[in-house]
């Protein structure tokens, strides 16, 4: 049994790694492609469209993630994961040949409908994990994300020198290759005994979120997760635009920086989490991680030299010990046949914050880099993200303290 679980973790890790590599390929060139389709070399305006493209993806994912999560609880993880990977391949094809900005939105809407690869992968990992190794196994998602971001953006930045559409074509090929790989190699993780009927009332976004009320500890940490997700968009939605504006970075330089991010995230999620979290416990990992996130974001906000962005990535990426710890605490309060529902609800939360976060952060950047702003401050989004991270740590403290009080009584 242990060897089967280990092999399954290898399969899901490779699947996610290829998936993230394809996603990472397109990030360095997205600002240039938007500027090209708009016909205006204006990074502030491009950042606003970038935020709304993320909004389009997130809105559709918010609607459909709980549906796919619940379907995976009925039919198993494998078919849903394969459906998701195929959808990403179609999205990249749309983006590769988009003749106008409107077609970029069509591609993002398709990806939002099918974009449940991480949701289903999280449920897959929960299926094959024990309470002792759950946090470490969830850390492999971050490791795949990190390693994919070492390879993807580096290649994307180099391919971007050939034209802003080339990385999208390569990403389409990777996504469809990933789909084929999963079809022939990925085993099912959820046995028939642990499946449950599909219910629409639990598969709609609000119904999925309301199910979290059954688990008080999970519900209490939801607000903390929301704040983390919102804060993360200060980097996820804003990194390329900020560094182009502030330091005149090229797609190649953006790719290198994101490759460094991937290296650090992979080291933290794939290595440090497995050492630190079991030693200090999930609760302390949450507080320390969120504090490091806040410090990193604050330093980004006031960086005035290009090299500083690389140095300040260290505390920010070390904050990654918080995510697997939070996810482990929440997963530990949910039975096996509802893990898909939980992960679908968490993805819905992420998508709901992605509806708000990218437009919030990119418009904040656009405003403080425009002539309308009272002063020039391109790091405004990073400062807001730092405030959100500190608020998340405070909320998590009170939520977990309340849970301990309930247990004692």
């Amino acid at each position: 049994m242990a060897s089967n679980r280990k092999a399954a973790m290898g399969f899901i890790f490779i699947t996610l790694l290829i998936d993230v590599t394809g996603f990472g390929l397109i990030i360095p060139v997205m600002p240039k492609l938007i500027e090209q389709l708009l016909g205006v070399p204006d990074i502030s305006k491009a950042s606003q469209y970038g935020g709304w493209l993320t909004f389009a993806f997130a809105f559709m994912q918010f609607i459909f993630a709980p549906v796919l999560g619940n379907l995976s609880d009925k039919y198993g993880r494998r078919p849903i994961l394969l459906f998701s990977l195929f959808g990403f391949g179609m999205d990249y094809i749309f983006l590769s040949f988009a003749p106008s900005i409107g077609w970029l939105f069509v591609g993002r809407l398709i990806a939002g409908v099918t974009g449940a690869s991480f949701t289903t992968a999280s449920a897959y990992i929960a299926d094959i994990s024990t309470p002792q190794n759950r946090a470490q196994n969830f850390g492999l998602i971050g490791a795949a994300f990190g390693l994919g971001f070492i390879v993807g953006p580096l290649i994307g930045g180099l391919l971007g020198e050939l034209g802003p559409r080339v990385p999208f074509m390569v990403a389409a090929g990777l996504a469809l290759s990933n789909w084929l790989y999963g079809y022939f190699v990925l085993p099912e993780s959820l046995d028939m005994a642990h499946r449950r009927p599909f219910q629409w009332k639990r598969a709609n976004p609000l119904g999925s979120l309301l199910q979290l009320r059954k688990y008080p500890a999970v519900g209490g940490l939801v607000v903390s997760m929301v704040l983390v997700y919102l804060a993360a968009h200060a980097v996820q939605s804003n990194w390329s635009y900020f560094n182009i504006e502030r330091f005149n970075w090229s797609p190649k330089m953006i790719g290198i920086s994101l490759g460094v991010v991937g290296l650090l995230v992979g080291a933290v999620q794939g290595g440090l989490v497995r050492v630190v979290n079991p030693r200090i416990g999930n609760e302390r990992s949450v507080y320390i991680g969120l504090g490091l996130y806040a410090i990193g974001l604050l330093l980004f906000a006031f960086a005035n030299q290009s090299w500083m962005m690389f140095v300040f990535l260290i505390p920010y990426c070390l904050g990654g010990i918080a995510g697997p710890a939070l996810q482990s605490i929440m997963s530990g309060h949910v039975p096996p046949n509802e893990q898909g529902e939980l992960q679908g609800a968490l993805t819905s939360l992420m998508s709901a914050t992605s509806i708000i976060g990218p437009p919030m952060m990119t418009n904040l950047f656009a405003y403080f880099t425009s002539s309308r702003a009272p002063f020039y401050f391109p790091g405004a989004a990073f400062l807001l993200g730092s405030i959100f991270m500190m608020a998340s740590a405070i909320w998590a403290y009170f939520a977990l303290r309340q849970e301990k009080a309930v247990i004692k009584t």
Side-chain angles (χ1 to χ4, degrees), residues 268-309:
V268 171
Q269 301 286 345
L272 193 63
V273 164
R274 292 175 171 268
V275 176
V276 172
N277 288 36
R279 287 190 178 182
I280 67 176
N282 286 328
E283 187 173 344
R284 287 184 180 179
S285 296
V286 169
Y287 303 143
I288 294 172
L290 292 176
L292 288 167
Y293 270 145
I295 291 169
L297 286 164
L298 186 64
L299 292 172
F300 289 151
F302 295 98
N304 56 19
Q305 298 290 329
S306 186
W307 61 265
M308 292 181 178
M309 299 302 291

Side-chain angles (χ1 to χ4, degrees), residues 31-46 49:
K32 293 298 181 184
L33 179 59
I34 294 173
E35 285 185 322
Q36 183 184 91
L37 292 174
L38 291 175
V40 180
D42 184 342
I43 197 65
S44 294
K45 189 174 182 180
Y49 274 92

Side-chain angles (χ1 to χ4, degrees), residues 20-31:
V20 175
T21 299
F23 180 74
L25 277 168
I26 71 174
I27 294 177
V29 294
M30 183 63 88

Side-chain angles (χ1 to χ4, degrees), residues 347-369:
T347 301
S348 289
L349 274 178
M350 187 185 303
S351 299
T353 57
S354 294
I355 293 171
I356 303 168
M360 176 195 299
M361 297 302 183
T362 56
N363 278 281
L364 191 63
F365 166 80
Y367 176 74
F368 277 99
T369 55

